[in-house]
Amino acid sequence: MRISQLSAASGIPIPTIKYYLREGLLPQGEQTAVTRAEYGERHLRRLRLIRALLEVGRLPVASISKIIAAVEDEEMPVHQMLGTAHYALSSPMEPRPDDEEHRAARERVNGLIESMGWTVNPEAPTLDELAQILVRMDHLGMPATEQSLRYYAELLMRLVAEHEMEKIPFDGPRETAVESLVVGTVLYGKAFDVLRRLAQESESARLLGG
Amino acid sequence: MRISQLSAASGIPIPTIKYYLREGLLPQGEQTAVTRAEYGERHLRRLRLIRALLEVGRLPVASISKIIAAVEDEEMPVHQMLGTAHYALSSPMEPRPDDEEHRAARERVNGLIESMGWTVNPEAPTLDELAQILVRMDHLGMPATEQSLRYYAELLMRLVAEHEMEKIPFDGPRETAVESLVVGTVLYGKAFDVLRRLAQESESARLLGG
């Protein structure tokens, strides 16, 4: 298809598509004449992924370039490619504190991961993110207990293992696996948060007779 | 205690405390001389709540005023007071769409709430928030199935009923119940999200041998 058809099929304006081509986010079409290139399914799939990263993941173009590079590097194992996208989706960190309090919280996080038997890269930004949340709870005088954290972790592992991982199409095109990961992580994460608040409201009504 | 002692005990600077007094967020101290007022435990508790609403809930002062008014109105039932805080913590909504797509998604949300037997105010902003997420999933060609939503809802109700509601001290001062709700909703919500991503990483490593 021509660029005008690619635009119609994807719903993305031609100037935006040209911008993605210039930035190297979208591979060039097949040149069929000096001023004419042909695009295919592969380009449509890539545009879907870019849109998910931009609109759902709200990632800056620099992060998107890194993820696209991982998608295009066929030598990179799928787990590592998904990790690239996963880490980019982590909340922007406050500057990583290098103090005793943070180190102590990080130790608690490490202990939790170990006691759960989880395999997590020790450099994962998510570990520091969790440590920062624990520090804030301490500051507010409402520390999280080990028992609470275990309870949450067990529940979530059940969710992920029984229900979430099977939705990611590992065998299809690399783009589709990443797109599915982004939607699963961000939008299902939001749905989860909203459903938790709805459950809280309902349970509060039941307990307090509202 | 005097205002300087209240400042030392709460860690909040005197000018900030005076601002809260002017805005009516903090009740006046007991006037013991023309230029001297006495503050007590009640003021400390209130300052803790304001700090939680500002720093954890990231709420604007106008929302905080509304929540404080609900805390001070002893006639207002606890469930309604908590609801005031709970709704204020909802994500800022995109303008509520009034179209067929949103209405259809809202019908699906209503059906889910009904099938779960949950008691939720039909005006709750959380219901529209969930509907908007469903519309976005549809647009991305990855619609959420009823089965998935039920699975999530059941898991979360178990979490809330077994583990979360018991942490809110309903019998203590009204301030403390609201503070605990804010920390529980926001910080445990974040912890939940981070733990889910850690579980995903670990399960991806196990499945893909990363």
Side-chain angles (χ1 to χ4, degrees):
Chain A
M1 66 190 112
R2 301 178 65 167
I3 195 166
S4 55
Q5 293 165 305
L6 183 64
S7 169
S10 63
I12 295 177
I14 294 178
T16 309
I17 293 179
K18 288 190 171 161
Y19 168 71
Y20 295 157
L21 286 166
R22 280 199 307 276
E23 290 290 317
L25 299 181
L26 187 67
Q28 301 295 328
E30 198 192 333
Q31 209 71 29
T32 53
V34 176
T35 58
R36 195 171 153 174
E38 271 289 306
Y39 300 90
E41 275 308 309
R42 188 173 148 233
H43 297 90
L44 262 179
R45 216 160 40 223
R46 178 64 60 85
L47 285 176
R48 276 177 61 115
L49 173 60
I50 295 172
R51 200 170 73 150
L53 292 168
L54 271 177
E55 294 180 10
V56 178
R58 295 184 186 279
L59 294 179
V61 170
S63 304
I64 295 179
S65 293
K66 256 168 75 179
I67 296 169
I68 297 281
V71 168
E72 290 187 343
D73 177 2
E74 303 272 347
E75 304 280 293
M76 186 187 283
V78 174
H79 174 67
Q80 200 183 329
M81 171 187 77
L82 293 177
T84 308
H86 213 211
Y87 289 171
L89 294 171
S90 289
S91 306
M93 281 267 289
E94 298 159 35
R96 178 180 175 164
D98 186 30
D99 56 26
E100 197 40 59
E101 215 171 15
H102 183 81
R103 268 192 295 275
R106 184 54 208 268
E107 278 306 309
R108 288 166 64 199
V109 171
N110 293 348
L112 175 71
I113 300 294
E114 200 176 330
S115 78
M116 295 296 298
W118 287 1
T119 307
V120 175
N121 181 345
E123 292 300 313
T126 13
L127 296 170
D128 280 319
E129 222 182 307
L130 184 54
Q132 288 188 340
I133 295 168
L134 296 184
V135 168
R136 294 196 72 187
M137 288 174 176
D138 289 346
H139 282 187
L140 290 161
M142 300 188 172
T145 62
E146 300 315 305
Q147 186 210 356
S148 270
L149 291 172
R150 284 284 305 226
Y151 181 96
Y152 277 50
E154 277 162 18
L155 191 91
L156 285 162
M157 185 39 104
R158 204 161 57 216
L159 170 82
V160 167
E162 282 179 8
H163 198 76
E164 297 201 322
M165 292 309 282
E166 67 186 36
K167 287 201 209 138
I168 295 186
F170 292 115
D171 300 334
R174 290 164 71 93
E175 269 95 352
T176 312
V178 174
E179 185 193 351
S180 163
L181 177 95
V182 173
V183 172
T185 301
V186 179
L187 286 186
Y188 277 92
K190 282 190 185 158
F192 217 63
D193 189 53
V194 174
L195 281 168
R196 179 167 161 263
R197 282 186 275 128
L198 289 168
Q200 287 169 342
E201 172 171 345
S202 177
E203 193 60 7
S204 164
R206 196 181 65 77
L207 287 176
L208 302 170
Chain B
M1 63 191 114
R2 301 180 63 168
I3 196 166
S4 55
Q5 293 166 305
L6 182 64
S7 168
S10 63
I12 295 176
I14 294 179
T16 309
I17 293 179
K18 287 190 172 161
Y19 168 71
Y20 294 158
L21 287 167
R22 278 198 308 278
E23 291 288 318
L25 299 180
L26 188 66
Q28 301 295 328
E30 197 193 335
Q31 210 71 29
T32 54
V34 176
T35 58
R36 194 171 155 174
E38 270 290 306
Y39 300 89
E41 276 306 311
R42 190 173 147 232
H43 297 89
L44 262 178
R45 218 163 35 226
R46 178 64 60 85
L47 286 175
R48 276 177 61 114
L49 173 60
I50 295 172
R51 199 170 73 150
L53 291 168
L54 271 177
E55 293 179 11
V56 178
R58 295 186 186 277
L59 294 179
V61 171
S63 304
I64 295 179
S65 293
K66 254 166 77 178
I67 295 169
I68 298 282
V71 168
E72 289 187 343
D73 177 3
E74 303 273 346
E75 305 281 292
M76 186 187 282
V78 174
H79 174 65
Q80 202 183 326
M81 171 186 78
L82 294 177
T84 309
H86 213 212
Y87 289 171
L89 294 170
S90 288
S91 307
M93 281 265 288
E94 298 159 37
R96 179 180 174 167
D98 186 29
D99 55 27
E100 198 40 57
E101 215 170 16
H102 184 80
R103 268 192 295 275
R106 185 54 208 270
E107 279 306 308
R108 287 167 64 198
V109 171
N110 293 348
L112 175 71
I113 300 294
E114 201 176 326
S115 78
M116 295 295 297
W118 286 2
T119 309
V120 175
N121 181 345
E123 292 301 312
T126 12
L127 296 170
D128 281 319
E129 223 182 306
L130 184 54
Q132 289 188 339
I133 296 168
L134 296 185
V135 168
R136 294 195 73 186
M137 289 174 174
D138 289 346
H139 282 187
L140 290 160
M142 298 189 174
T145 61
E146 299 315 305
Q147 187 209 354
S148 270
L149 291 172
R150 283 284 307 226
Y151 182 96
Y152 276 50
E154 276 162 18
L155 191 93
L156 286 163
M157 184 40 103
R158 202 160 60 215
L159 170 83
V160 167
E162 282 179 7
H163 198 77
E164 297 201 324
M165 291 309 281
E166 66 186 35
K167 287 200 208 137
I168 296 186
F170 293 115
D171 301 334
R174 291 164 71 93
E175 268 95 352
T176 314
V178 174
E179 186 192 349
S180 162
L181 177 95
V182 173
V183 172
T185 301
V186 179
L187 286 186
Y188 276 92
K190 284 190 183 157
F192 216 63
D193 190 53
V194 174
L195 281 168
R196 178 167 163 265
R197 282 185 274 128
L198 288 168
Q200 286 169 342
E201 172 170 347
S202 177
E203 191 61 7
S204 164
R206 195 180 65 78
L207 287 177
L208 302 170

